[in-house]
Amino acid sequence: MFKFRDYLIISLISLTLGWITVRQFDLRRRVSELTKPEKSESLAIEVSSLVEANQKLREEMNKLNQSYIKLTENSDNQTSAKQEIEDNLNLYRIVSGETVVGGSGLEINVQEKLEKPQLIDLLNALRNIGFEAISFNKKRVIYNFSFENTNLNPPYEFRVIGDKNLIRDSLKRRGGILEQINAKADIRESDNIVAPAIN
Amino acid sequence: MIICAKIKVISAPVAQQIERSRPKGKAAGAIPARGTKMSKPIFRKISFSLFFIGLGVGLLLATQWKVRPTRAVSLIDPYLSLKNTNEKLSQEQSALKNEIAELHKNNSQASRNLKENETETKGKVEILEQYKKEIGLVPLNGKGIIIIMDDSSLGDITENSIAHAADLRDTVNFLWGKGAKAISINGERVVASTSIDCIVNTILINKTKITNPFVIMAIGNQNEIFDSLKDSNSLSDIKSRVSEEGLKFEIKKEEVNIPVFNGSFLVKNAKSIN
């Protein structure tokens, strides 16, 4: 005949089994959470982006180190230092948009109407891909460019100086920005793209 | 089992009771033998208990069987490896950026020393410093505004209740349009080459990962920028999500410090024409 102690033992065994079962399911859930494809995919893209970004930072650091050595050289006419200042002036003139700039790149023409957010996203994508100089509808784009005070009626023309193969392939690829904003663009490559100076 | 172990000692009066109730012909004083059939209720209780215990063991075994990999592959290792690499690269990026900021400072100082010693280069160094200020290679401080953008903390998370990279892009575009002189987001200076991107759930600015809350600082005409931001017609998509979804978009007037851009400018082939 069952006594109270018998029921107690069976209850304890069942409780232990139940706890182990729940722990097992929880562990499975946490493992599958951690190894979800989206999480790993996101991490992989971040890592890839970081590798590329860090490489560029190292190059910039080396360039600045070289620049410092030249600026602090101790010679009679300080030729290297003067040349370094001249080189930096040329670079900053281009980046600040003060000079007309020419080089190889592409011209991107869009005939259909785009909304402001689409244009913001397209310019952002070009920045992400990387360019040396760019203009929008014959207006040079520099750090403080805004679509706020700009005529947003089509057609739209971007003149981009940079790696034309990279820019073209990135724009046209499946899932690229043109597909995302649903824009049809004519892309013309040239070795002599000209971006105007800021007004 | 305990059930079979005990032998009841029957007292004399009870033995007589049994004697009276026993069918005739049975020996008097006989005690019910061990191993006789259990009553149905007790049998049912034991069966149910054993059934559930067996079910539990079975489930556990089945789960264990499924989880055990058939080959020597760890599901966690690739993910952890990626995570570790990501952390190391992020730390490396942070160190590189600090070093670049320091080098910019040193180079500026070296240029100024040159200016003092060489009259020929004096004018050029001054122009150089001016360019550096414009393009983001010098930290700036002054009167401006701070915007704090963050996900809603009300209710369930939806696509409209969280801050997106697109919101940051729209805000930056708006601020430049209102005459801002310099902008930063979470300590990252916004320059000509700055892109604000989203990779799954992560936002990158200048290829650097940032997390919410997003603190946007801008130097410029403080009152004009502040009033424009407060206007309900500006940044209408963000404003509607603030009122409907609880997206956070706080604006305040402040003295702000915009840090230096510690990245690189890519110019290899472009040449000035005039």
Side-chain angles (χ1 to χ4, degrees), chain A residues 16 136 146:
Chain A
T16 310
F136 172 72
S146 171

Side-chain angles (χ1 to χ4, degrees), chain A residues 47 61 149 172:
Chain A
V47 164
M61 206 176 73
N149 309 315
K172 285 182 136 178

Side-chain angles (χ1 to χ4, degrees), chain A residues 1-3 5-7 10 13-14 17 20-21 24-25 28 31 34-36 38-47 49-65 67-68 71-72 76-78 81-82 85-86 88-96 98-104 116-117 120-121 124-125 127-133 141-149 161-163 192 194 197-198, chain B residues 1-4 6 42 45-46 49 52-54 56-57 59-60 63-64 66-67 75-76 78-80 82-83 85-90 92-93 96-97 99-100 103-104 106-108 110-111 114 117-118 120-121 124-125 127-128 131-132 134-135 137 166 169-170 172-178 180-182 190-197 199-202 204 206-207 209 262-274:
Chain A
M1 186 115 122
F2 267 120
K3 287 206 167 184
R5 190 166 51 178
D6 304 332
Y7 286 114
I10 291 172
I13 294 170
S14 302
L17 278 171
I20 292 170
T21 309
Q24 193 69 37
F25 278 113
R28 276 193 80 196
V31 165
L34 271 181
T35 57
K36 252 186 203 172
E38 309 91 72
K39 280 207 166 185
S40 294
E41 187 190 314
S42 166
L43 264 182
I45 295 171
E46 274 182 51
V47 164
S49 176
L50 275 168
V51 165
E52 192 191 326
N54 287 5
Q55 179 55 31
K56 285 192 178 144
L57 289 175
R58 269 187 227 102
E59 285 169 12
E60 179 70 8
M61 206 176 73
N62 290 336
K63 210 172 83 177
L64 288 169
N65 272 322
S67 183
Y68 183 74
L71 286 169
T72 53
D76 286 340
N77 55 12
Q78 294 179 312
K82 288 174 190 174
I85 288 180
E86 205 58 53
N88 284 337
L89 272 173
N90 289 334
L91 169 65
Y92 298 156
R93 279 194 192 109
I94 291 172
V95 175
S96 68
E98 204 171 282
T99 58
V100 177
V101 176
S104 75
K116 190 166 51 178
I120 291 172
D121 288 352
N124 185 75
R127 283 176 163 143
N128 179 278
I129 298 165
F131 57 74
E132 301 184 26
V141 173
I142 58 170
Y143 72 98
N144 61 355
F145 178 83
S146 171
F147 288 103
E148 286 300 301
N149 309 315
I161 297 172
D163 184 334
N192 192 25
V194 175
I198 52 171
Chain B
M1 280 289 281
I2 302 162
I3 302 161
C4 302
K6 289 194 176 161
I42 294 170
K45 276 182 193 169
I46 296 171
S49 304
F52 282 114
I53 291 170
V57 171
L59 268 173
L60 197 62
T63 312
Q64 194 67 39
K66 269 191 180 174
V67 166
L75 295 170
I76 308 249
Y79 174 81
L80 285 178
L82 267 176
K83 198 161 176 289
T85 307
N86 189 22
E87 279 164 10
K88 279 192 190 135
L89 287 172
S90 294
E92 187 189 47
Q93 187 185 59
L96 284 167
K97 282 178 168 251
E99 204 149 339
I100 285 173
L103 281 166
H104 275 303
N106 295 341
N107 284 10
S108 288
S111 298
L114 201 67
N117 299 331
E118 269 283 326
E120 193 188 323
T121 52
K124 288 185 180 176
V125 170
I127 296 170
L128 199 68
Y131 280 137
K132 286 172 91 169
E134 267 180 40
I135 64 176
L137 293 181
R169 292 195 287 267
D170 290 347
V172 165
N173 176 74
F174 181 83
L175 289 169
W176 289 134
K178 293 301 168 193
K181 301 276 181 270
V190 179
V191 296
S193 57
T194 296
S195 67
I196 302 169
D197 307 299
I199 298 176
V200 191
N201 296 324
T202 306
L204 300 175
N206 293 332
K207 308 286 166 98
K209 180 176 164 180
N262 45 17
S264 59
F265 291 112
L266 167 74
V267 175
K268 283 181 185 169
N269 300 312
K271 296 272 182 291
S272 292
I273 290 179
N274 60 358

